[in-house]
Amino acid sequence: MTVTPQTNTTLQEIAAELLKRDAIAICGHVNPDGDCIGSTLGLACALRAVGKTAFALVADDGPVDASLSFMPGFASLVPAAAFDEPIDAFVMVDAPGAQRIGEAAEAVRAAAALTVTIDHHAVPERASRLSYTDPDSASASLLVWEVAKLLGISPQGEDMREVATCCYSGLLTDTGRFMHQNTNLEAFQGAVEMMACGLDAARISTALFQQRTEASVKIDALAVDRMQVVGRALLSWISIGDIEALGADKHDVENAIAPLRSIAGFDVACILKEREGCVRGSLRAKDGTDVAAVAREFGGGGHKAAAGFTLECGIDEAVRIMQDRLATL
Ligand code: 5GP
Ligand code: MN
C-alpha cells in the first residue's frame, strides 16, 4: 500500500466521519466503468446498511452500461444533473478531481459540508477535505470494501454480501479478471474476504463477461481487422460511421482495446473511439511504459499501464496525431 502526498486521512477516519453524517451522496467518474459503479453502489449499500440515507449518483446523463445492471442498487442510480436533495457529505470514488466528475456532480459536491475522496488515481492536488488515494490499490472498490468493514457491518448478513458483490465487480473489471499489472496480494486477499461474505463469483463473471452484445464482438473484430503497427504499439480506431453500421452503442466500443492488448509482440496498444464532436483514446501498456504520461500530454490521465484521454477533433485527425505520437514512444 502506498498512499500519495495528497492523502491527508485514513480509511478509519473516513468511516468514522461518515458514521457521524446522515445524508451522503456518492459519485464516481464520467463515462462510468465497472469499478466506478461498483465503488459507488458498494459504498451506498454499506452506508444504507448502517442506517444512512445514501444517494448513488452517476456523473453523466447517458444510460449506464447494462452489463452492470446486476449490481445491487443499480436501479437507484441517479444522474447528478437531476439531483437536488440536501446532503451532509459527498464522497467522490474512483475519481481524482472535479474535472473527472463533471460539472453536474461538482455542483452537488460544492453544496456538501464534508467532501471525501476514496481513489486509486495518483494526482498532484488534493480535491476533497478528506482525501485517501492509494495508487497501489487494484481498484477503488477495494478501498470502499475496507471502509465497509470499518463501518462495522456484519460479515455474514445480506447487506455485506451485496457490498461484496459490488466491490468484487469493480475489482474484477479493473484488474481485467486478475490479469493486469495491478493484480497484487491485496487484490486476492480482498477477493477472498468478499467470497467469504457469500458472493456468487460465477454469476458475476457471467453477467460481466458472457452477456456481450453481438455488436460489441463485431466492433472488436473490426478493431483487430484494421489495426496498424506503429513502432512498439498497435493502433486502431472505431468511427461513428462504424458504430452506426454495426448497430452498436458507445458501451459496445468501450473494451475494444482488449483484443489489441492481447496480441503478442507489442508493448503498447491504443484505440481511438469517435464520439459526437470528439474522440476518446484508450492506452494500455504491457511493459513498463508509462501510458498515463502519454495520456496527460493530451489532457487525460489514468494509471501507468491503463490510461485515457479525449481529443477535440474528428477521427482522421486523431489517427494522424496518435500515429505521430506512438512512432516516437
Ligand atoms: P479507459 O481507457 O478504460 O477509458 O481508461 C483507463 C484508465 O484511465 C481508467 O482508470 C480511467 O479512469 C482513466 N482515464 C480515462 N480517461 C481519462 C481522462 O480523460 N482523464 C483522466 N485523468 N483519467 C482518465
Ligand atoms: Mn478504478
Side-chain angles (χ1 to χ4, degrees):
M1 181 186 82
T2 317
V3 292
T4 54
Q6 81 266 27
T7 293
N8 67 348
T9 187
T10 59
L11 295 176
Q12 285 85 350
E13 190 185 3
I14 288 176
E17 284 298 320
L18 293 177
L19 282 170
K20 291 183 203 159
R21 321 283 155 155
D22 292 320
I24 300 155
I26 308 147
C27 190
H29 57 79
V30 291
N31 199 20
D33 57 13
D35 188 28
C36 173
I37 297 297
S39 300
T40 303
L41 293 177
L43 187 55
C45 283
L47 290 169
R48 287 174 192 145
V50 292
K52 307 296 171 190
T53 302
F55 300 103
L57 308 187
V58 197
D60 35 46
D61 292 343
V64 177
D65 189 340
S67 74
L68 307 176
S69 63
F70 69 92
M71 282 193 225
F74 187 85
S76 74
L77 286 167
V78 184
F83 181 77
D84 64 354
E85 304 277 344
I87 50 168
D88 306 312
F90 182 98
V91 187
M92 184 157 71
V93 291
D94 199 29
Q99 172 232 352
R100 286 288 285 156
I101 61 171
E103 275 175 35
E106 183 53 16
V108 178
R109 193 167 82 105
L114 174 68
T115 56
V116 179
T117 296
I118 302 171
D119 188 28
H120 67 148
H121 299 92
V123 288
E125 71 283 352
R126 179 157 57 237
S128 299
R129 183 144 82 72
L130 295 178
S131 287
Y132 188 90
T133 298
D134 178 3
D136 285 344
S137 183
S139 66
S141 68
L142 196 53
L143 301 174
V144 166
W145 176 249
E146 291 302 320
V147 173
K149 289 191 287 176
L150 292 163
L151 290 173
I153 309 162
S154 161
Q156 295 313 325
E158 174 64 17
D159 290 328
M160 206 53 165
R161 194 162 69 85
E162 294 196 341
V163 175
T165 298
C166 297
C167 291
Y168 182 78
S169 302
L171 185 55
L172 200 58
T173 50
D174 255 26
T175 57
R177 311 176 216 183
F178 301 104
M179 182 178 71
H180 302 330
Q181 292 91 331
N182 57 355
T183 306
N184 53 19
L185 180 62
E186 288 77 14
F188 283 114
Q189 281 168 334
V192 168
E193 291 170 7
M194 295 171 202
M195 286 289 283
C197 290
L199 67 76
D200 186 341
R203 188 179 73 90
I204 294 171
S205 292
T206 303
L208 286 171
F209 306 116
Q210 287 159 37
Q211 305 283 351
R212 293 185 60 184
T213 62
E214 197 179 328
S216 81
V217 180
K218 287 182 174 161
I219 291 276
D220 280 10
L222 179 61
V224 171
D225 197 42
R226 70 154 61 116
M227 69 192 180
Q228 296 180 348
V229 177
V230 186
R232 298 193 291 124
L234 278 175
L235 170 67
S236 194
W237 65 93
I238 301 291
S239 69
I240 290 177
D242 299 325
I243 294 171
E244 284 170 1
L246 292 174
D249 66 21
K250 70 171 188 167
H251 303 304
D252 293 324
V253 184
E254 216 41 61
N255 268 320
I257 189 87
L260 300 181
R261 85 186 303 175
S262 72
I263 296 172
F266 302 92
D267 300 328
V268 173
C270 177
I271 191 149
L272 298 166
K273 302 165 277 192
E274 190 176 28
R275 297 248 180 112
E276 238 15 277
C278 69
V279 174
R280 288 275 312 147
S282 285
L283 284 159
R284 302 290 186 265
K286 284 186 270 185
D287 61 351
T289 305
D290 184 357
V291 289
V294 178
R296 279 196 294 274
E297 291 171 27
F298 300 102
H303 308 283
K304 204 175 158 199
F309 57 90
T310 301
L311 297 173
E312 309 287 338
C313 62
I315 192 73
D316 295 343
E317 173 73 7
V319 170
R320 270 193 298 275
I321 290 170
M322 289 319 289
Q323 282 170 334
D324 288 351
R325 181 60 189 90
L326 295 174
T328 61
L329 209 59

